[in-house]
């Protein structure tokens, strides 16, 4: 069965600092991996997606994630945090190429001025 | 293109009642999925419909049901409501499988409170 673990339910950074949100997955088959973001009182929005084409995936709003099979990780990074990045971020995995996603617990990102 | 539309956005019910939530997907999207979001359990998959057929089902009791119409609009129903059903119910649509697998477009959700 597939699963996702996000390390750190809350992450706080200063504006302009590096953002690093950690995600580890478990999957019995080559996974599809995703990062979604949720702003208050809104649904989720896809940031980026890994489907084995390239290990470094670039997404929207300056975010990127690197797939490391040996570490079963898919950490999300952004070189310089902006106040508008404050939101909850979810890592998700899909097995077998279907649209049923298993989500991590989420990481609340706070950006301090 | 209009996004995923969910109605109602907020509703309050009492235990034992039933509720129906509606979802209109993005035009051209034939797959509709439903997720339940709660502080304790996080985001959990309920079911997925494609071309009026349920393709996948999560681990929820039979009180939770859904359907999809020929225009891809979907409804989910929860009968005999329990306090623990209080949650944000999110609908997501996606293009067919293939290169866009897993690319879900979420609505803003229907927030259900059960008293």
């Amino acid at each position: 069965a597939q699963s996702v673990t996000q390390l750190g339910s809350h992450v706080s950074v200063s504006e302009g600092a590096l953002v690093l949100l950690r995600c580890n997955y478990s999957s019995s088959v080559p996974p599809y991996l995703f990062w979604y973001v949720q702003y208050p009182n809104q649904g989720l929005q896809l940031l980026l997606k890994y489907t084995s084409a390239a290990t470094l995936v670039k997404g929207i709003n300056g975010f990127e994630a690197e797939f490391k099979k040996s570490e079963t990780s898919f950490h999300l990074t952004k070189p310089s945090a902006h106040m508008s990045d404050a939101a909850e971020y979810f890592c998700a995995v899909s097995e077998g190429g279907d649209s049923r996603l298993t989500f991590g617990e989420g990481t609340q990102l706070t950006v301090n001025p | 293109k209009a996004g995923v539309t969910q109605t109602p956005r907020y509703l309050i019910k009492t235990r034992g009642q039933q509720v129906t939530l509606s979802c209109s997907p993005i035009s051209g999207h034939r797959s509709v999925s439903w997720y339940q979001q709660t502080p304790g359990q996080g985001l959990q998959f309920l079911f997925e419909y494609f071309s009026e057929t349920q393709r996948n089902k999560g681990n929820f009791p039979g009180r939770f049901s859904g359907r999809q119409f020929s225009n891809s609009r979907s409804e989910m129903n929860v009968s005999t409501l329990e306090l623990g059903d209080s949650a944000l119910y999110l609908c997501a649509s996606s293009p067919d499988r293939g290169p866009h697998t897993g690319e879900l477009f979420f609505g803003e959700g229907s927030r259900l409170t059960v008293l």
Side-chain angles (χ1 to χ4, degrees), chain A residues 2 5 7-8 10 13 16 18 21 23 27 36 44 47 62-63 66 72 76 79-81 83 96 100-101 107 111-112:
Chain A
Q2 60 202 32
T5 301
L7 301 176
H10 290 85
V13 300
L18 171 72
L21 305 182
C23 172
S27 175
Y36 280 84
L44 282 73
L47 276 178
F63 284 94
E66 184 173 10
T72 60
L76 181 71
S80 176
M83 297 295 290
R100 176 174 42 181
L101 300 185
T107 298
V111 181
N112 302 305

Side-chain angles (χ1 to χ4, degrees), chain A residues 37-45 47 60-61 63 84-89:
Chain A
V37 61
Q38 186 177 32
Y39 298 100
N41 299 315
Q42 294 188 26
L44 282 73
Q45 179 184 9
L47 276 178
I60 62 172
N61 302 338
F63 284 94
S84 62
D85 294 327
E88 189 156 22
Y89 292 79

